Amino acid sequence: MNRGYAIAILAAGLGTRMKSRYAKVLHRAGGQTLIELAVGAARRLAAPGQIHVVVGHQAEGVQQTLAGSGVQFVRQTRQLGTGHAVLVGRQQLQAWKRVLVFYGDCPLLTANTLRALQKRHAATRAAATLLTTRLVNPTGYGRILRGPRGEVREIVEEKAATPEQKAITEINPGVYCFETGPLFKCLASLKPNQAAGEYYLTDVIAGLVGRGLRVEALLVEDASQVLGINTRAELAEADAVLRRRKAQALMAAGVTIQKPETVIVDAGVSIAPDTVLEPFVQVLGRSAIGPGCRIGSHSILRDASLAGDVVIEAFSWVEDSRLGRGARIGPYARLRPGNVVGAEARVGNFVELKMTRLGARSKAQHLTYLGDSVVGADVNVGAGTITCNYDGVAKHQTVIEDGAFVGTHSTLVAPVKIGKGAYLAAGSVFTEAVPPGALGIARSRQTNKPGWAAQRQRRQTGARKH
Ligand code: UD1
Ligand code: CA
């Protein structure tokens, strides 16, 4: 037998109270699914081979979410209760001396608390040691029943509790260390709980006590850690706690966050010191932001990579794009996936980029669409320039070489290439290459008709007299 710990995370339930077509543990808080959060905490104490996730509802989805993590899966085909969920893992789990069990819907649990529980369990040498906490409103949680000397005797579920038991504020967060031997002995003889017809893991506590074995408890002060997610409202609470934790960690590491309660930063985001997040910013996914940047209010960055000193002005959207040092984006810019913006380049208001490279110091400041384009360095893209990259069937490339000057309201029908240092006349439609250094004009010549306005007026008054 392995003398260490196995970890069992129960995640087979649907989560009826979520009223969702997705399994509960696939919902997100702080930018991660609940199951990723649970496994994340477990990974801080154990190798993937020690971690066993009990899956059932949407097992494929849950396994896919954890793909590559190396954790083990146990299939619970029918969800007959938390006790049954542990029992289906018997074969794998009883290879270990001890097992730490917790639920996949408990996303605020920290590795430190799990470690403290293990430590207490090792010190007391009890058959089981469980976490408990006190809640002002304990409704919905199992209550801890203690004997005259304060010893843990039993956990009674909300459904089965008498009014006096419901008044008990010490609750069961659902985090337990068990000696696997006695645990599986009890589980094997467990009867379905009378109140619900399910096999309750919580009934194991009374089972162990009935066998003359000792159960110990570790009371945690910080009740916010053990919030179990059963409803969307609780999911929102957990999300708020995780956002606050992330903001606090970033601020501690030198990031300025204005109105942190309004800012949303996902768990996987990194931000270097002296970057400023203005109110209502969202930084999502795998974004990485360098030092000294400023992210303007209401901007949303997803999987964005920013070098140092980048400025994103308010109300901009940046997705899966790389921005070089000192680049300035927005306000009101939209960077769709696949852009590389060079150092000190500028992308201004109502400019959309998609799969485009914009060279160093190049500017597209107003009302422009650049798609599937390769733009060199020091290019000026005039207001209202549009690349026609799509012919209804396929996408085509626009190339604009270094130092070119693209006049206002140019239409570039791809594939098309503008040579180095070329000038494009405003309001032109380009369907052919413009050679380096040339001036390209593609519009009809202007004609002026002198005195035309007065002639028209005379014609109109003459017509009215007749
Ligand atoms: C459970 C506890 C309760 C505790 C609370 C803490 C039991 C009987 N009750 O109640 O004492 O206060 O958590 O949040 O354990 N699951 C399975 N297979 C099943 C049933 C459940 O894997 O057959 C999983 C669920 O996916 C979930 C977890 O176990 O992640 C807990 O189940 P849930 O139904 O949410 O239990 P609670 O009613 O919250
Ligand atoms: Ca629950």
Side-chain angles (χ1 to χ4, degrees), residues 333-356:
R334 180 177 183 205
L335 274 61
R336 290 164 55 200
N339 304 296
V340 180
V341 174
E344 285 167 52
R346 298 201 171 191
V347 178
N349 41 265
F350 306 106
V351 172
E352 175 181 344
L353 304 187
K354 191 221 78 182
M355 295 283 281
T356 285

Side-chain angles (χ1 to χ4, degrees), residues 13-281:
L14 173 63
T16 319
R17 291 161 281 185
M18 294 295 282
K19 307 217 164 66
S20 174
R21 61 193 162 106
Y22 304 109
K24 177 165 64 180
V25 294
L26 295 178
H27 286 262
R28 287 172 177 272
Q32 284 184 292
T33 59
L34 299 185
I35 193 62
E36 285 172 289
L37 285 156
V39 168
R43 278 292 282 115
R44 265 167 243 130
L45 337 171
Q50 286 168 272
I51 301 168
H52 305 263
V53 181
V54 181
V55 293
H57 271 284
Q58 292 169 24
E60 290 75 21
V62 177
Q63 289 184 226
Q64 214 177 327
T65 302
L66 298 174
S69 67
V71 299
Q72 316 295 304
F73 296 100
V74 174
R75 201 60 170 256
Q76 186 193 23
T77 7
R78 292 170 62 213
Q79 286 70 49
L80 302 179
T82 48
H84 180 256
V86 175
L87 192 56
V88 295
R90 178 179 198 155
Q91 198 151 17
Q92 292 94 316
L93 296 172
Q94 68 185 6
W96 303 78
K97 183 170 180 337
R98 291 170 178 155
V99 57
L100 170 65
V101 180
F102 63 97
Y103 302 152
D105 65 354
C106 194
L108 303 180
L109 208 53
T110 66
N112 278 346
T113 301
L114 295 175
R115 258 186 231 115
L117 180 67
Q118 286 179 323
K119 211 167 145 201
R120 171 64 65 91
H121 184 67
T124 59
R125 321 183 81 196
T129 307
L130 51 107
L131 224 53
T132 74
T133 195
R134 289 192 187 283
L135 293 182
V136 182
N137 176 13
T139 311
Y141 290 90
R143 309 296 205 282
I144 308 295
L145 306 194
R146 290 184 184 253
R149 291 177 314 282
E151 75 283 10
V152 174
R153 286 210 162 153
E154 189 181 341
I155 299 173
V156 57
E157 290 301 301
E158 175 88 25
K159 272 187 191 159
T162 64
E164 296 79 65
Q165 290 169 337
K166 280 187 181 154
I168 296 172
T169 55
E170 189 184 9
I171 63 101
N172 169 37
V175 187
Y176 325 78
C177 286
F178 291 106
E179 297 296 306
T180 40
L183 168 67
F184 285 109
K185 270 201 200 93
C186 274
L187 280 175
S189 59
L190 196 66
K191 303 265 175 311
N193 189 280
Q194 291 201 331
E198 284 183 17
Y199 295 88
Y200 278 171
L201 181 59
T202 45
D203 286 344
V204 164
I205 301 305
L208 293 169
V209 172
R211 284 176 159 77
L213 297 167
R214 206 152 37 83
V215 176
E216 294 285 340
L218 174 66
L219 193 135
V220 287
E221 299 294 333
D222 176 14
S224 75
Q225 274 209 30
V226 296
L227 175 73
I229 309 301
N230 295 320
T231 64
R232 305 252 184 182
E234 287 161 345
L235 186 69
E237 268 179 65
D239 184 67
V241 172
L242 291 166
R243 300 298 182 193
R244 202 168 332 137
R245 279 188 197 163
K246 179 72 182 182
Q248 249 140 30
L250 289 170
M251 291 189 285
V255 177
T256 293
I257 306 185
Q258 299 171 349
K259 296 260 177 213
E261 67 278 17
T262 68
V263 163
I264 291 177
V265 182
D266 277 359
V269 168
S270 67
I271 306 182
D274 290 323
T275 282
V276 177
L277 306 186
E278 292 182 2
F280 296 99
V281 158

